[in-house]
Amino acid sequence: MIVQRVQPNTGAKEGKWVAATICAILLLSAATLPFHQSRNHEVTLETHQISISDITQSNLSLLAELKLAHEEIRDLYAEEQSWPSVTYLREEWVAPFVEDQSWHRNGQHHWEQHGNGLYIGLPQHNNGAGAMLLDASATLAKVWVNDHSPLSLDQVDETSLKRSGWRLIVNSKDLSSENEHHW
C-alpha cells in the first residue's frame, strides 16, 4: 500500500487574493472619489426674488395653499377653457379662496382676479401673510409676495411688480438644478 501525505487546504491563498482585491478596489475608489463629486453652484437671487427659505411662516403657509390652488385652477382651465373666478373657487372650496379657519389665520385676504390666470390677495389685517399674487397662467406656479404696503395694481406685469416692491418667491434648490443643466 502506498501512503501519500496530503496537506489540508485551508483556503489561505484564496483568502489572500480576495483580501488583496478588496484592498485594491478600496484604494482605487478612494483615489478617484474627489473626481466624482457634484459641484456646488452658488445661486444668486436677483433683487426682485426671495428664497422660499427666507419667507415668514405665515407666508409659507399661504404659499403652500397657493401651490395646491394652482393645480386646481390649471385643471379647471383645461376643462372649461376659461379661468375660474374667485367666486367659483370659493364655492368649490379651493383654499386659500374659501373663508375658513386658515383664511382667518393667514390674514383674511380679499382675493381678486386680474386678467388671465392672475389672482391677487390683499390681507385685511397685518397679523398674517403679506399680499400675494398667483400667476396661474404659467405651467409652474409663480407666486409674488409683498410684505410691506399692499398696493392695488393697475397693470399686473413683471416690470410693474418689481417697481412696486413685489418679490417673486423662488426655490433656490430648483435654481441650482437649473444651473447644473446649463453648463
mmCIF file of all heavy atoms in Angstrom, residues 47 67 87 91 119 144 150 163 173 179:
data_model
loop_
_atom_site.group_PDB
_atom_site.id
_atom_site.type_symbol
_atom_site.label_atom_id
_atom_site.label_comp_id
_atom_site.label_asym_id
_atom_site.label_seq_id
_atom_site.Cartn_x
_atom_site.Cartn_y
_atom_site.Cartn_z
ATOM 1 N N THR A 47 -32.660 90.944 -7.450
ATOM 2 C CA THR A 47 -33.199 91.823 -6.412
ATOM 3 C C THR A 47 -34.704 91.659 -6.235
ATOM 4 O O THR A 47 -35.223 91.911 -5.150
ATOM 5 C CB THR A 47 -32.892 93.296 -6.731
ATOM 6 O OG1 THR A 47 -33.430 93.603 -8.020
ATOM 7 C CG2 THR A 47 -31.407 93.559 -6.693
ATOM 8 N N LYS A 67 -49.898 76.934 -4.042
ATOM 9 C CA LYS A 67 -49.333 75.914 -4.941
ATOM 10 C C LYS A 67 -50.381 74.854 -5.269
ATOM 11 O O LYS A 67 -50.497 74.409 -6.409
ATOM 12 C CB LYS A 67 -48.101 75.262 -4.314
ATOM 13 C CG LYS A 67 -46.923 76.181 -4.146
ATOM 14 C CD LYS A 67 -46.140 76.279 -5.402
ATOM 15 C CE LYS A 67 -44.857 77.058 -5.138
ATOM 16 N NZ LYS A 67 -43.966 77.020 -6.251
ATOM 17 N N THR A 87 -65.081 83.831 -7.073
ATOM 18 C CA THR A 87 -66.338 83.346 -6.508
ATOM 19 C C THR A 87 -66.495 81.852 -6.752
ATOM 20 O O THR A 87 -66.877 81.100 -5.848
ATOM 21 C CB THR A 87 -67.529 84.111 -7.122
ATOM 22 O OG1 THR A 87 -67.318 85.509 -6.954
ATOM 23 C CG2 THR A 87 -68.832 83.703 -6.478
ATOM 24 N N GLU A 91 -66.707 78.888 -3.982
ATOM 25 C CA GLU A 91 -67.825 77.932 -3.938
ATOM 26 C C GLU A 91 -67.344 76.489 -4.018
ATOM 27 O O GLU A 91 -67.958 75.590 -3.464
ATOM 28 C CB GLU A 91 -68.805 78.208 -5.075
ATOM 29 C CG GLU A 91 -69.589 79.489 -4.899
ATOM 30 C CD GLU A 91 -70.367 79.874 -6.142
ATOM 31 O OE1 GLU A 91 -70.253 79.190 -7.188
ATOM 32 O OE2 GLU A 91 -71.099 80.894 -6.072
ATOM 33 N N TYR A 119 -54.292 86.046 -9.837
ATOM 34 C CA TYR A 119 -55.129 86.187 -8.646
ATOM 35 C C TYR A 119 -54.320 86.911 -7.586
ATOM 36 O O TYR A 119 -53.236 86.470 -7.222
ATOM 37 C CB TYR A 119 -55.574 84.817 -8.139
ATOM 38 C CG TYR A 119 -56.389 84.050 -9.163
ATOM 39 C CD1 TYR A 119 -55.763 83.214 -10.089
ATOM 40 C CD2 TYR A 119 -57.766 84.178 -9.210
ATOM 41 C CE1 TYR A 119 -56.497 82.531 -11.034
ATOM 42 C CE2 TYR A 119 -58.521 83.495 -10.153
ATOM 43 C CZ TYR A 119 -57.877 82.674 -11.061
ATOM 44 O OH TYR A 119 -58.612 82.002 -12.014
ATOM 45 N N TRP A 144 -45.891 85.810 -6.163
ATOM 46 C CA TRP A 144 -45.223 87.041 -5.774
ATOM 47 C C TRP A 144 -45.743 87.445 -4.397
ATOM 48 O O TRP A 144 -46.908 87.205 -4.081
ATOM 49 C CB TRP A 144 -45.528 88.155 -6.771
ATOM 50 C CG TRP A 144 -44.966 87.936 -8.138
ATOM 51 C CD1 TRP A 144 -45.433 87.076 -9.086
ATOM 52 C CD2 TRP A 144 -43.844 88.582 -8.713
ATOM 53 N NE1 TRP A 144 -44.663 87.169 -10.219
ATOM 54 C CE2 TRP A 144 -43.685 88.079 -10.024
ATOM 55 C CE3 TRP A 144 -42.952 89.546 -8.251
ATOM 56 C CZ2 TRP A 144 -42.674 88.511 -10.870
ATOM 57 C CZ3 TRP A 144 -41.942 89.976 -9.105
ATOM 58 C CH2 TRP A 144 -41.810 89.454 -10.395
ATOM 59 N N PRO A 150 -49.567 96.645 0.975
ATOM 60 C CA PRO A 150 -50.247 96.028 -0.150
ATOM 61 C C PRO A 150 -50.741 97.108 -1.104
ATOM 62 O O PRO A 150 -51.453 98.021 -0.711
ATOM 63 C CB PRO A 150 -51.415 95.279 0.474
ATOM 64 C CG PRO A 150 -51.280 95.419 1.936
ATOM 65 C CD PRO A 150 -50.220 96.399 2.235
ATOM 66 N N ARG A 163 -41.226 97.128 -9.740
ATOM 67 C CA ARG A 163 -41.181 98.537 -9.371
ATOM 68 C C ARG A 163 -41.979 98.819 -8.104
ATOM 69 O O ARG A 163 -41.643 99.698 -7.323
ATOM 70 C CB ARG A 163 -41.729 99.375 -10.531
ATOM 71 C CG ARG A 163 -41.165 100.739 -10.640
ATOM 72 C CD ARG A 163 -41.682 101.438 -11.843
ATOM 73 N NE ARG A 163 -42.443 100.491 -12.663
ATOM 74 C CZ ARG A 163 -42.826 100.676 -13.896
ATOM 75 N NH1 ARG A 163 -42.550 101.771 -14.485
ATOM 76 N NH2 ARG A 163 -43.497 99.774 -14.565
ATOM 77 N N LYS A 173 -33.124 75.650 -4.524
ATOM 78 C CA LYS A 173 -32.717 74.313 -4.960
ATOM 79 C C LYS A 173 -33.090 74.098 -6.421
ATOM 80 O O LYS A 173 -32.338 73.500 -7.180
ATOM 81 C CB LYS A 173 -33.361 73.243 -4.095
ATOM 82 C CG LYS A 173 -32.846 73.221 -2.683
ATOM 83 C CD LYS A 173 -33.547 72.171 -1.858
ATOM 84 C CE LYS A 173 -33.091 72.255 -0.415
ATOM 85 N NZ LYS A 173 -33.839 71.376 0.449
ATOM 86 N N ASN A 179 -29.193 75.544 -13.067
ATOM 87 C CA ASN A 179 -27.849 75.971 -13.431
ATOM 88 C C ASN A 179 -26.972 74.785 -13.777
ATOM 89 O O ASN A 179 -26.112 74.878 -14.649
ATOM 90 C CB ASN A 179 -27.206 76.784 -12.304
ATOM 91 C CG ASN A 179 -27.858 78.137 -12.132
ATOM 92 O OD1 ASN A 179 -28.521 78.620 -13.035
ATOM 93 N ND2 ASN A 179 -27.694 78.720 -10.966
#
